[in-house]
Amino acid sequence: FTSAPVAFTPAPVVSTPAPVPSTPAPAIASTSTPSSNQDCCDDTKSRVDSIEVQMGEMTIDMDQVKSQLESLGNSVNEILNILKNTPSPVTFSTPAPTIRCTDRKGKWKLAIGNKNGRNWCGWARKQANTHSACLQKNLSNDCPATCGKDGCIN
């Protein structure tokens, strides 16, 4: 079975509008009227004047920076001169302690219960082992030369 030919085909439906330019075309400056040329020159002159003012301000700022740097340099030089002319700190040394290397003279009691005093340095010297006698009776402070305390030599 064959179908009969269709009498007409409907026209396509247009759902998307034609593209519209989003950026307007650049305007071409007209050179035909003298007033637009004058406006252009006035605008350029105004911009040049503004730039010249800004350049002048920058020159003033640079001069201030230069002046401040020179002042800072002078201050640093003053400080260095003060440091150069300041004497080194004075150091004080503590003298070495004096070692008494002289034995005690005379007689003395070692214990409270002793009736008679004795010259304990002489006693320690007479012992067979002087060092042991000094330790036994704790005589190093009273008899430093005999007992050899702190490098003292008898």
Side-chain angles (χ1 to χ4, degrees):
F1 170 93
T2 47
S3 65
V6 176
F8 75 93
T9 305
V13 178
V14 180
S15 61
T16 307
V20 178
S22 60
T23 307
I28 300 173
S30 170
T31 57
S32 62
T33 60
S35 68
S36 66
N37 282 341
Q38 185 63 38
D39 290 343
C40 177
C41 290
D42 288 346
D43 183 49
T44 303
K45 185 176 183 310
S46 173
R47 289 183 183 187
V48 168
D49 290 344
S50 174
I51 291 171
E52 285 177 348
V53 167
Q54 291 175 351
M55 292 293 291
E57 290 172 355
M58 284 199 238
T59 302
I60 291 170
D61 290 344
M62 292 301 289
D63 288 343
Q64 289 173 347
V65 168
K66 182 180 175 185
S67 173
Q68 289 173 349
L69 283 174
E70 287 175 358
S71 176
L72 181 62
N74 290 338
S75 296
V76 168
N77 285 333
E78 287 178 31
I79 291 169
L80 289 174
N81 285 332
I82 290 170
L83 292 175
K84 286 178 187 175
N85 295 326
T86 302
S88 299
V90 178
T91 57
F92 296 98
S93 61
T94 304
T98 305
I99 299 172
R100 182 179 66 85
C101 288
T102 307
D103 288 346
R104 184 174 175 179
K105 306 276 187 225
K107 297 178 181 183
W108 71 93
K109 297 177 185 180
L110 288 180
I112 295 175
N114 290 356
K115 292 184 181 178
N116 296 327
R118 164 183 270 186
N119 182 332
W120 289 102
C121 297
W123 172 84
R125 255 191 311 283
K126 293 177 186 171
Q127 301 304 308
N129 187 338
T130 304
H131 180 70
S132 179
C134 289
L135 290 175
Q136 179 188 5
K137 299 290 184 181
N138 194 21
L139 298 173
S140 294
N141 288 332
D142 290 318
C143 310
T146 299
C147 298
K149 179 182 177 186
D150 296 327
C152 295
I153 300 171
N154 186 5

